[in-house]
Amino acid sequence: ITATYNGDFNTLKNSINACIDGLGALEESNRVLGKMSLNDYSETMPTNYLGIYAEIGHSINDVHTRLTRIVEISTNIANGDLCDLEVWSKIGKRSDNDTLIPALVGMIQNIINLVDETEKMASIAIEGNLSNRGDVSGFPGEYGKIVTGFNQTLDAVIAPIEEASATLTQLSQGNLHTKMQGDYRGDHAQIKEALNGTITFLSEYVEEITHTLEQIGQGNLDLEITNEYLGDFQAIKSALNDITSSLSTTM
């Protein structure tokens, strides 16, 4: 209403105009809240309204500020940036019923703890200590599954290494009847096959060489090692055959 009135009529005009402005504020509030409900935080409320309508605008803008800050924190977390923990820990709860900030703080803290735990486990493993395991009890839900998976990976890695070490120890002590028995896959299975194959041909070489020496000791010089020997064992084969041949010729 733009016409000029006097006295009470002018007061009535101003009141009507204020109501119209207030209804416009409610309409604008509804529009901005509708966009926010669709996660669109590109607009805020004007703050040039009067009375309760201005308060509504400020409240909506406060909510807008909180939500955009949560989006910023979520983006930081998604990018691996956990710098917001200290700030939010200092803020604490904004009210007795505030569950948002404690949830954000707990989430960031769990991620930091998980990163620290896996870094520690990896560092210890790199140093050669494969017996260390992560403490799953300190991580709830899916976070615990990550530590469990890391532990299971270490278990899968250390089992063939431990058995291979024990087998090599037996081999170094002269036990050529030892074998790796574990059921392994992939590269671990190749290690098992290679080590067992090494033990097998060593055992065959030693048995044949031993048999030859025993026959020589019993006076049988009419023998020759004919099996194919590889590498340095070829020199041993040649030496034994030369010995038997030379002794036979001498006799």
Side-chain angles (χ1 to χ4, degrees):
I1 299 176
T2 58
T4 300
Y5 295 94
N6 297 318
D8 291 339
F9 295 108
N10 191 61
T11 301
L12 181 59
K13 180 193 79 172
N14 292 336
S15 297
I16 292 173
N17 286 342
C19 288
I20 293 172
D21 289 341
L23 291 174
L26 293 177
E27 184 179 7
E28 183 69 7
S29 299
N30 181 65
R31 188 183 69 82
V32 173
L33 288 172
K35 298 190 72 170
M36 291 170 60
S37 70
L38 299 176
N39 297 330
D40 181 353
Y41 307 114
S42 60
E43 293 188 42
T44 58
M45 280 290 294
T47 57
N48 58 344
Y49 299 109
L50 302 176
I52 187 65
Y53 303 111
E55 294 179 12
I56 292 173
H58 284 296
S59 296
I60 292 175
N61 287 343
D62 286 342
V63 173
H64 179 276
T65 299
R66 299 281 186 270
L67 290 175
T68 52
R69 179 65 177 130
I70 291 172
V71 171
E72 180 183 349
I73 294 172
S74 301
T75 302
N76 289 340
I77 294 174
N79 293 330
D81 184 355
L82 306 178
C83 63
D84 298 294
L85 177 62
E86 183 178 356
V87 174
W88 285 90
S89 297
K90 290 180 179 179
I91 293 175
K93 300 174 80 173
R94 296 188 183 277
S95 68
D96 292 339
N97 295 323
D98 182 3
T99 58
L100 177 60
I101 292 180
L104 286 172
V105 170
M107 177 177 63
I108 297 175
Q109 188 63 64
N110 279 330
I111 294 175
I112 289 176
N113 291 342
L114 182 62
V115 171
D116 290 343
E117 183 72 13
T118 52
E119 282 184 345
K120 182 179 72 174
M121 293 169 66
S123 177
I124 294 175
I126 290 172
E127 293 298 323
N129 180 6
L130 299 180
S131 62
N132 179 69
R133 295 294 180 272
D135 183 8
V136 182
S137 64
F139 300 95
E142 299 297 321
Y143 296 116
K145 290 183 179 180
I146 296 177
V147 180
T148 298
F150 207 117
N151 289 342
Q152 290 173 345
T153 299
L154 287 174
D155 289 340
V157 170
I158 194 173
I161 292 177
E162 287 182 336
E163 187 176 7
S165 177
T167 302
L168 289 171
T169 299
Q170 289 294 313
L171 188 61
S172 68
Q173 294 173 355
N175 180 8
L176 297 180
H177 299 288
T178 185
K179 295 278 188 182
M180 286 185 68
Q181 304 292 340
D183 182 16
Y184 305 118
R185 301 176 182 176
D187 292 340
H188 296 152
Q190 293 181 12
I191 294 174
K192 171 187 173 182
E193 292 173 2
L195 183 54
N196 286 346
T198 300
I199 295 173
T200 297
F201 81 71
L202 281 176
S203 179
E204 291 174 353
Y205 288 175
V206 170
E207 286 180 0
E208 187 168 18
I209 292 171
T210 301
H211 174 72
T212 301
L213 291 173
E214 287 176 347
Q215 290 296 307
I216 293 175
Q218 294 172 6
N220 180 12
L221 303 179
D222 186 19
L223 46 84
E224 181 182 7
I225 299 176
T226 59
N227 290 331
E228 181 181 359
Y229 279 30
L230 301 176
D232 293 336
F233 291 97
Q234 177 65 38
I236 297 176
K237 169 187 173 182
S238 298
L240 282 174
N241 286 340
D242 289 344
I243 290 173
T244 57
S245 178
S246 177
L247 285 174
S248 179
T249 300
T250 299
M251 294 300 294

